Amino acid sequence: MTGGRRDKVQSIRESWIATAIVIGVLLVCVFTFMFPHGFFTPKSPIQIRRTDTPNVQTGTCESPEHVNKLEADIASLLETNAGLKKRLAEQGQDNTQKQVMVLGDQHKVGPFGTVKALRTNPTVVPDESVNPRLAKMLEKVAVGKELIVALANTYVKDMLEIWFTSIKRVGVTNYLVVALDDQIVEYCKTNDVPVYKRGPEEVIDSVARSGDAHAVSGLKFHILREFLQLGYSVLLSDIDIVYLQNPFDHLHRDSDVESMTDGHDNMTAYGFNDYFDEPIMGWSRYVHTTRIWAYNSGFFYIRPTIPSIELLDRVVDRLSKQPNLWDQAVFNEELFFPSHPGYEGLHAAKRTLDFYQFMNSKVLFKTVRKDDKLKKMKPVIVHVNYHPDKLPRMKAVVEFYVNGKQNALDAFPDGSGW
């Protein structure tokens, strides 16, 4: 009995304590709500005297020192942000914004399988001020703002005759010879061939005097720039080429550069999967690579776009600094090498032309002339680029494809004699 009474008293006592705690918490909440600043709030705000600006009063707001510091920090951040934007622009890292400005509005993505990226870059705005004399000539010569252009000096006069005769034969009228000496000017005029000679620039005069084929080949990139600035597409042609069809009927015009290839079959011309073997690596000894044979810098179609002009500028710049470089190697490196640390690659669209239509002399003499079916096809051009005996082989090409002499190609070896 005694134990039960003691437990009952203990239970009542604990309930009183719990009740007192609850009442205390409620009172605190009520007073906190009714007197948020306490029982003894000063009747006037506390005055804080600053040594530099006397008589400035602050109440519940931030102090002037704090406000000034925040404003200074914001100004500093804005300045830093502006500097970053400027540096990004200078470093060429705002390419996305630039492309939006050039290409126009953004577009929504269509259904699966229907999405196609932009294939053709817009052409530049023509600037006739760069060469008014050439601009007037191109107005007369070009057709549809495009033409064939070739550089020539006296050393290639015999091949030049086969070149322009074949062009006339297929009905092409929009072509132009850039003469590197006065003898070629007179020779072209005598044969009713459109000709243009630049002013007496030192680099052109030296190339004309030397007659060096590689020097002439490198010079064309320098000269081509003005044609593109004037808004014309150019089919750049070496002289060791025989035209058998109108090349303008076989271009796609969907890229910045369309070029014939040094490749001789589907793999070498259009790309193939190759591998590098390093046995020391064991399981990973084979590293796969993607390869393509070089574009031929002696025959390519180039449109007047920003990437095209940038390509020419890059090639000219490198050749001017290292004259011993081969222009075709530089042309391909700048066209294909991707961006990597310390180097920004060229963003240019490119197309490889059909190697049976735009045929190099390796394809002709090593393969086509030995195949009865392939012999019946007439290519658009034949470029005698693989062989040093260019003139006799050009004559043989004319005999075979134009005059129908079936054994005209038989006497030549597959390769060169040395």
Side-chain angles (χ1 to χ4, degrees), residues 229-244:
Q229 282 183 276
L230 292 171
Y232 291 86
S233 297
V234 174
L235 183 56
L236 191 282
S237 173
D238 278 355
I239 298 300
D240 56 346
I241 293 177
V242 178
Y243 288 78
L244 301 167

Side-chain angles (χ1 to χ4, degrees), residues 149-190:
V149 175
L151 276 66
N153 56 24
T154 304
Y155 296 91
V156 296
K157 187 170 71 172
D158 293 337
M159 288 192 294
L160 178 62
E161 182 179 2
I162 298 177
W163 181 85
F164 66 66
T165 300
S166 69
I167 288 179
K168 291 180 178 181
R169 185 185 299 115
V170 298
V172 174
T173 59
N174 49 328
Y175 67 100
L176 181 68
V177 173
V178 177
L180 301 179
D181 54 49
D182 293 331
Q183 291 86 343
I184 289 296
V185 173
E186 295 303 320
Y187 181 70
C188 287
K189 289 181 178 179
T190 301

Side-chain angles (χ1 to χ4, degrees), residues 97-126:
Q97 184 63 29
K98 289 179 181 178
Q99 289 194 108
V100 171
M101 293 173 63
V102 172
L103 303 179
D105 297 334
Q106 295 174 300
H107 301 278
K108 291 183 178 180
V109 176
F112 181 83
T114 65
V115 178
K116 295 292 183 182
L118 184 68
R119 295 294 193 270
T120 309
N121 282 309
T123 56
V124 299
V125 177

Side-chain angles (χ1 to χ4, degrees), residues 80-92 94:
T80 302
N81 187 43
L84 287 173
K85 287 183 178 179
K86 183 178 180 181
R87 284 196 293 273
L88 287 174
E90 291 174 351
Q91 294 170 1
D94 57 342

Side-chain angles (χ1 to χ4, degrees), residues 17-61:
I17 294 173
T19 302
I21 292 173
V22 171
I23 293 173
V25 171
L26 290 174
L27 289 174
V28 170
C29 292
V30 171
F31 281 113
T32 301
F33 177 76
M34 296 180 64
F35 305 99
H37 302 294
F39 289 103
F40 305 101
T41 304
K43 294 183 179 180
S44 61
I46 300 174
Q47 292 186 349
I48 301 176
R49 186 175 299 275
R50 294 176 53 183
T51 56
D52 54 342
T53 55
N55 300 326
V56 176
Q57 295 182 342
T58 60
T60 58
C61 300

Side-chain angles (χ1 to χ4, degrees), residues 56-73:
V56 176
Q57 295 182 342
T58 60
T60 58
C61 300
E62 296 288 347
S63 67
E65 294 91 340
H66 193 189
V67 172
N68 290 340
K69 185 177 184 304
L70 288 174
E71 290 177 349
D73 290 343

Side-chain angles (χ1 to χ4, degrees), residues 318-345:
R318 287 185 58 186
L319 293 178
S320 65
K321 295 176 180 176
Q322 296 176 282
N324 58 322
L325 294 178
W326 184 23
D327 69 280
Q328 178 163 294
V330 175
F331 174 71
N332 279 268
E333 289 171 2
E334 294 298 334
L335 197 55
F336 284 97
F337 278 5
S339 299
H340 56 263
Y343 175 81
E344 184 177 354

